[in-house]
Amino acid sequence: MIAVSVKPLFVAIFTLSLVLAIILLSPSNPLSQDLVSSNSLVGKVDIWNVRRMVEWRPCKWWLQGNPTPLPMESNGYIRVDCYGGLNQMRRDLCDGVGVARLLNATLVLPKFQVAAYWNESSGFADVFDVDYFIQQLNGFVKVVKELPSEIASKEPFHVDCSKRKGQFDYVESVLPSLIEHRFISLTPQVVQRRDRYPKYAKAALCQACYSALRLTKSLEKKGSELHQAIPKPFLSLHLRFEPDMVAYSQCEYAGLSPASMEAIEAARGDDRKPWTGELARIWRKRGKCPLTPNETALTLQALSIPTNTHIYLAAGDGIMEIEGLTSVYSNVVTKAALLSNEDFTTMHGNTKAALDYYVSINSDSYVATYFGNMDKMVAAMRAFKGLNKTLFLSRKAFAELTFQGLKGEELMQALWEAHKEDFERGRGSALPDCFCEFKL
């Protein structure tokens, strides 16, 4: 047996440990500097490591299939006319599918608007896989590519749905027109009372939105190539600070460049003049004003998201004051930089938006500075895929805290607390139509 002296070994280990501790805690050590700099703002881990208490998952009544069989006879044909950007049209289509099932109608492939403003001339079939759409809705609602010959030559009777918000509005006011004309077109009202729909109509809506809308093979291929070109891991950031968005918000910002001010004024209409005085203060405190790139960068830092994080900017080409973000977060990439010039210049508004959507639902984490149609769709699809690193930056919290006069580390700490609670409880990504709370 070999004898070992314990005391000299203990002394050696203790001495070595002491030396290592002195090196690591030395102010000149780069590692200790990194630890201090990354945690000095909030003294906590980054937002993604906060323990979540609630997650949103697809409701069982939807995933288990259509609860009510389709009736044998249809009441007629409905075409959904979709307007706006891609995600607004997607929302209208989803609502239209729910209405078609509610009225026991056969759905005709939707009509996407042609809009010069969006540089848009592509239709539904240019963006989404039609055959897959029809297949996935089988049993939920009947969909046809073509109308019967006796109806095909007719223009649909357009029904105004501007005041239709719930089940009985559609049944009482739209169904008679459907039965009389056999072929109608409609654009669902933006503010829907889907909570009042029967489960079979809600299930059709959910199936359309989150299971049936798959991009065409060529767009999926392009989206996959774009996704692969982004260094991993990466955060997808939907930043809304375009001239039209700021003009629409009726907010004013101090310190913007002359070029930004000119672009905003050009986008304002007579009915979109900015609020002033106390009204402007109230409006901002209600969270109505988009975060600037500078405010976005500050909030990301408050959440301990490292400044060397790779960020994919999911946004249009007109973002103003972008230097406020890129001067802090230097690893920001855009589709314009990653795609070939030929690919980018030949794309329409819908196809560009489709790529942003594809990259965002497949990103390691997703942050939005707004809560618009794209953000709601992306949050839902990420929840559907089990990707819960999704966060909406709180414009309301930022405004309230800055109006309180908070600055520097005090502001950063308060921003951390506001977003930590949102992330813990799943707020800001609430998806009540098709998703249910799941307590962890």
Side-chain angles (χ1 to χ4, degrees), residues 351-419:
T351 48
K352 289 180 181 179
L355 292 183
D356 280 342
Y357 173 80
Y358 180 91
V359 171
S360 294
I361 64 172
N362 290 292
S363 59
D364 297 287
S365 49
Y366 178 75
V367 171
T369 63
Y370 211 68
F371 195 48
N373 292 313
M374 175 174 168
D375 306 311
K376 294 172 185 175
M377 292 290 181
V378 168
M381 281 305 300
R382 288 178 61 81
F384 184 69
K385 293 162 69 77
L387 302 173
N388 293 296
K389 289 186 177 181
T390 303
L391 187 69
F392 296 95
L393 302 188
S394 175
R395 293 164 289 155
K396 184 177 180 180
F398 190 95
E400 287 179 342
L401 294 170
T402 51
F403 274 127
Q404 290 172 22
L406 299 186
K407 295 179 181 178
E409 290 191 16
E410 193 177 15
L411 174 60
M412 303 287 252
Q413 182 67 36
L415 285 171
W416 165 267
E417 293 295 340
H419 289 87

Side-chain angles (χ1 to χ4, degrees), residues 109-152:
L109 291 181
K111 179 183 178 182
F112 279 15
Q113 71 162 345
V114 175
Y117 177 81
W118 300 97
N119 181 26
E120 194 49 63
S121 61
S122 54
F124 178 76
D126 297 311
V127 180
F128 297 109
D129 186 329
V130 171
D131 291 331
Y132 186 80
F133 180 72
I134 295 173
Q135 173 195 337
Q136 288 295 306
L137 285 178
N138 183 36
F140 288 88
V141 66
K142 187 177 180 182
V143 185
V144 295
K145 294 181 182 180
E146 297 178 353
L147 290 163
S149 56
E150 65 271 17
I151 300 178

